Amino acid sequence: MRVLAIDQGTSSTRGFLYDGKASNVICTREHRQLYPQPGWVEHDPEELLQHIVECIDAAGPVDAIGLDNQGESCLAWDAKTGKAISPVIVWQDRRTEKIINNLKADGAQSLTLAKAGLPLDSYFSASKLSWILENISDAKTLLRNGRLRLGTTDAFFIYRLTGIFATDITTASRTSLLNLETGEWDQALCDLFGVPVSALPEIKPTTGDYGIVEIGGHKTPLLASVVDQQASLFGHGCRYSGDAKITFGTGAFALAVTGAFAKQASDKGLLPTVAWQFEYERPVYALEGGVYCAGSALNWAKSLGLFSDFSKINSFTAEAAVTRGLVFVPALTGLGSPHWDGSAAGLWIGMSLDTTACDLVQAILEGIALRTGQVILAMSELISISDSISIDGGMSCNPYFCQFLSDVLQKQIVVASSAEQTSLGTAMLAGGGHVVDESCAKSGLHYEPVECRAASVLLFNEAVARCKGWK
């Protein structure tokens, strides 16, 4: 069986062809990152769609297509023409902080926590969709005429590729508009954000019929749609309660399977979410915790000239920067779970006249690992996390980072044999288990704890406390 997995991520769109024995990258397209104002992050929806089409065209004849998406990024479009009337407002975007603060002041967070399981934060799609309705002039006109379509990026892509107006339940669970118990849009939540249910897509299981894609003379069924992080969870082979993975991409996202029931975790700052749902079956749930800036913090440091090549930061001769009192908090776009503080700011503390660029980069790597440790610690207070955690993403190639992470978590770290667990999970979901041997998801480099970092954790926690409430 030949399956095309399309990974539509924050920085690029890539196509992977799985034929039952191996996978091949058949298309990679980077897209522009648009920053029209401070705190705003946008993508061009037509550019993203064009790159998806190019990946499908490059694959040639296949038996099925699976599509994974950015999760919380969203937009609006015209049902009649299919043309976007807004940019894609990316999950990192913070333009709706005022909306969120006003809702918090009105005590609305109790409603979002009770129904969606999510705190009030501009990270999620609902406030972005609300902003579009209030600020994009065509939106209200189209709504009056019954032509407005609001949704996450997957719904836009599916609409344009197959004509079906739908999203999958994992993506819907990231909006703050889905009722976790019913698996449907919640009227009270939609009213809270001023988002009309009539403009939202149908919610479907992760696997199933999403229509036929016809490109390059080939007609192919789209059989899976899923959030990229949930695809990664599936690709890592996580199936049972406590199985966990961490993907270190633009941000660092940890997910742990909780099973047949959503686990409310508002007091721990964690997010109950839908992991996946097979057609005709009940959803499987997970807990998620995110560090907004991981790989993006390293790319930022590289752009500042702190290092020239990623291979140069795989090891350090000096002892850990945090041991020497130098700490970096990667709150460059605020703090995610378990803090949920959009006003927090990135912080270096402990610098002196003899601090070098190498020291600063070392502190960045450690800071990302220590922030990830805060997320896993919060999870472990709710469920028993497995002794072995699987990781992937660009930073998983850095030996210093992986060993430091193992020391912080005091768990075995398994680096996936392939860095492409997201596409693997997407292909597995679309192919119905007939794509590749799942045992490959568990192979790879292993790191065992060699040092206790308890003192480092305490120092880092103090630095995090100092970065809060800055903006």
Side-chain angles (χ1 to χ4, degrees), residues 93-168:
D93 191 284
R94 308 301 295 183
R95 74 183 65 187
T96 63
E97 287 291 336
K98 184 176 180 181
I99 295 172
I100 294 299
N101 290 335
N102 289 339
L103 289 172
K104 284 181 178 178
D106 291 338
Q109 184 159 267
S110 60
L111 179 65
T112 61
L113 288 171
K115 289 179 171 286
L118 305 178
L120 279 169
D121 195 274
S122 58
Y123 173 53
F124 306 110
S125 313
S127 64
K128 298 180 177 72
L129 296 174
S130 176
W131 186 92
I132 289 172
L133 278 166
E134 291 299 320
N135 293 275
I136 301 296
S137 58
D138 289 344
K140 290 183 178 179
T141 301
L142 290 175
L143 179 62
R144 286 194 299 269
N145 295 330
R147 289 169 49 182
L148 180 66
R149 296 291 180 263
L150 295 170
T152 39
T153 54
D154 62 316
F156 174 70
F157 302 144
I158 294 167
Y159 190 80
R160 290 283 294 271
L161 291 171
T162 72
I164 291 176
F165 185 39
T167 186
D168 97 290

Side-chain angles (χ1 to χ4, degrees), residues 69 71-74 100 112 115-130 150-155 167-180 184-186 189-190 192-193 195 200-201 203 227 230 271-274:
N69 69 84
E72 298 78 11
S73 302
C74 58
I100 294 299
T112 61
K115 289 179 171 286
L118 305 178
L120 279 169
D121 195 274
S122 58
Y123 173 53
F124 306 110
S125 313
S127 64
K128 298 180 177 72
L129 296 174
S130 176
L150 295 170
T152 39
T153 54
D154 62 316
T167 186
D168 97 290
I169 193 169
T170 70
T171 316
S173 73
R174 314 301 299 164
T175 61
S176 282
L177 300 175
L178 177 90
N179 187 307
L180 271 183
E184 302 291 341
W185 301 123
D186 188 276
L189 290 173
C190 290
L192 176 68
F193 289 98
V195 176
L200 294 173
I203 299 171
V227 176
Q230 276 83 331
L271 310 178
T273 191
V274 178

Side-chain angles (χ1 to χ4, degrees), residues 59-80:
V62 294
D63 299 300
I65 297 173
L67 172 67
D68 67 71
N69 69 84
Q70 300 176 30
E72 298 78 11
S73 302
C74 58
L75 71 160
W77 65 98
D78 184 338
K80 183 176 181 179

Side-chain angles (χ1 to χ4, degrees), residues 94-393:
R94 308 301 295 183
R95 74 183 65 187
T96 63
E97 287 291 336
K98 184 176 180 181
I99 295 172
I100 294 299
N101 290 335
N102 289 339
L103 289 172
K104 284 181 178 178
D106 291 338
Q109 184 159 267
S110 60
L111 179 65
T112 61
L113 288 171
K115 289 179 171 286
L118 305 178
L120 279 169
D121 195 274
S122 58
Y123 173 53
F124 306 110
S125 313
S127 64
K128 298 180 177 72
L129 296 174
S130 176
W131 186 92
I132 289 172
L133 278 166
E134 291 299 320
N135 293 275
I136 301 296
S137 58
D138 289 344
K140 290 183 178 179
T141 301
L142 290 175
L143 179 62
R144 286 194 299 269
N145 295 330
R147 289 169 49 182
L148 180 66
R149 296 291 180 263
L150 295 170
T152 39
T153 54
D154 62 316
F156 174 70
F157 302 144
I158 294 167
Y159 190 80
R160 290 283 294 271
L161 291 171
T162 72
I164 291 176
F165 185 39
T167 186
D168 97 290
I169 193 169
T170 70
T171 316
S173 73
R174 314 301 299 164
T175 61
S176 282
L177 300 175
L178 177 90
N179 187 307
L180 271 183
E181 288 189 6
T182 67
E184 302 291 341
W185 301 123
D186 188 276
Q187 187 64 57
L189 290 173
C190 290
D191 290 343
L192 176 68
F193 289 98
V195 176
V197 176
S198 62
L200 294 173
E202 174 191 0
I203 299 171
K204 296 169 67 73
T206 306
T207 64
D209 180 13
Y210 282 89
I212 300 297
V213 179
E214 185 173 1
I215 291 173
H218 307 294
K219 295 182 178 181
T220 310
L222 178 60
L223 296 181
S225 180
V226 62
V227 176
D228 52 9
Q229 298 308 320
Q230 276 83 331
S232 175
L233 183 69
F234 199 84
H236 276 277
C238 298
R239 300 291 185 272
Y240 304 103
S241 181
D243 286 354
K245 73 88 193 179
I246 310 168
T247 295
F248 292 95
T250 301
F253 294 94
L255 270 83
V257 178
T258 60
F261 301 96
K263 190 172 285 289
Q264 293 290 347
S266 59
D267 59 330
K268 303 297 182 185
L270 297 169
L271 310 178
T273 191
V274 178
W276 56 78
Q277 182 184 14
F278 295 118
E279 192 174 21
Y280 309 120
E281 296 185 15
R282 287 179 53 79
V284 174
Y285 294 91
L287 277 177
E288 189 214 58
V291 178
Y292 291 154
C293 286
S296 59
L298 275 182
N299 290 332
W300 168 73
K302 186 173 184 288
S303 74
L304 295 179
L306 296 182
F307 67 98
S308 59
D309 189 272
F310 287 101
S311 64
K312 305 295 185 183
I313 60 171
N314 285 335
S315 63
F316 300 89
T317 57
E319 63 181 336
V322 65
T323 304
R324 294 176 279 137
L326 176 62
V327 177
F328 176 75
V329 181
L332 300 172
T333 54
L335 286 171
S337 59
H339 307 284
W340 294 107
D341 184 355
S343 68
L347 174 71
W348 265 300
I349 192 167
M351 292 182 290
S352 61
L353 291 175
D354 60 355
T355 299
T356 67
C358 186
D359 293 331
L360 295 175
V361 175
Q362 189 175 5
I364 290 176
L365 289 167
E366 295 168 9
I368 296 166
L370 287 159
R371 267 289 290 124
T372 305
Q374 291 184 326
V375 174
I376 297 299
L377 176 62
M379 285 184 174
S380 66
E381 294 173 354
L382 288 164
I383 57 174
S384 178
I385 300 294
S386 300
D387 292 332
S388 179
I389 296 179
S390 184
I391 71 170
D392 70 330

